[in-house]
Amino acid sequence: DTEVTQTPKHLVMGMTNKKSLKCEQHMGHRAMYWYKQKAKKPPELMFVYSYEKLSINESVPSRFSPECPNSSLLNLHLHALQPEDSALYLCASSRGGTYNSPLHFGNGTRLTVT
Amino acid sequence: DQQVKQNSPSLSVQEGRISILNCDYTNSMFDYFLWYKKYPAEGPTFLISISSIKDKNEDGRFTVFLNKSAKHLSLHIVPSQPGDSAVYFCAASYNAGNMLTFGGGTRLMVKP
């Protein structure tokens, strides 16, 4: 079992829909991440939150909007997506701060945009 | 420019033998290296890491070797088991940073 929980596991949405992906961790980690992974490709970083503040945005289109309500929760709000946004969206967390520490990933949300 | 490369897209090994997965990097600032395993429909699972101050780190059946002069790291799995069949990603970061750069992955198949 992963210690990073993502919901929903699967999501199908139309291009005019608004939906949200949710992520939760209870490891006391202070850094949280959103990654996107397409088939047969490595994960690509989208956003990093450090101590609940957005620290990195990898030039992600504004139709993706992250939110970190508290140190345990991370959301990704989706609006007006395109079919090419269909992918596995992975949440991860790590200790944060000045330590080298591994990222721990959730099992992802498989998103299909129709 | 791909800063972390896994040049073998796939590897097939007999059960009980050694699996060796390789990874090369170009950015000399990288100082922390990790290996992840990924099964289909799951997120990557952290396996083992190594800091640039070391050249070897071992955890059970998994050993990671780092050759800084060659900018090369490898993951050894001994003995290989059918349950090890998965895609393996190497990743790197620097300055305790939050950005992991991933290699393209190697699919390992361990045959019974």
Side-chain angles (χ1 to χ4, degrees), chain B residues 25-89:
Chain B
Y25 62 96
T26 57
N27 189 341
S28 57
M29 292 185 67
F30 287 142
D31 60 10
Y32 184 56
F33 303 89
L34 309 91
W35 284 94
Y36 284 86
K37 175 172 73 173
K38 189 178 185 303
Y39 294 119
E42 293 185 9
T45 300
F46 168 69
L47 276 177
I48 191 168
S49 64
I50 187 167
S51 167
S52 60
I53 61 174
K54 294 185 174 181
D55 54 20
K56 176 183 175 181
N57 190 24
E58 193 171 353
D59 184 0
R61 296 186 298 116
F62 303 92
T63 303
V64 57
F65 295 91
L66 175 63
N67 182 332
K68 289 186 290 294
S69 61
K71 294 190 177 68
H72 178 82
L73 66 153
S74 61
L75 175 68
H76 293 208
I77 306 174
V78 182
S80 301
Q81 299 173 354
D84 296 328
S85 297
V87 177
Y88 288 78
F89 290 99

Side-chain angles (χ1 to χ4, degrees), chain A residues 36-106:
Chain A
K36 172 182 176 180
Q37 186 174 24
K38 303 280 266 184
K40 300 188 187 300
K41 296 288 188 182
E44 295 177 11
L45 181 65
M46 299 175 72
F47 302 103
V48 180
Y49 273 84
S50 181
Y51 292 84
E52 298 154 52
K53 292 185 179 178
L54 183 64
S55 61
I56 296 173
N57 176 341
E58 287 289 279
S59 303
V60 180
S62 60
R63 57 186 184 268
F64 295 91
S65 175
E67 178 196 18
C68 189
N70 60 54
S71 60
S72 300
L73 295 175
L74 186 65
N75 299 321
L76 185 63
H77 303 296
L78 314 172
H79 174 54
L81 295 193
Q82 304 296 311
E84 59 264 29
D85 295 322
S86 298
L88 180 68
Y89 287 84
L90 294 162
C91 173
S93 69
S94 70
R95 280 176 73 184
T98 57
Y99 304 100
N100 277 325
S101 63
L103 273 63
H104 296 268
F105 286 86

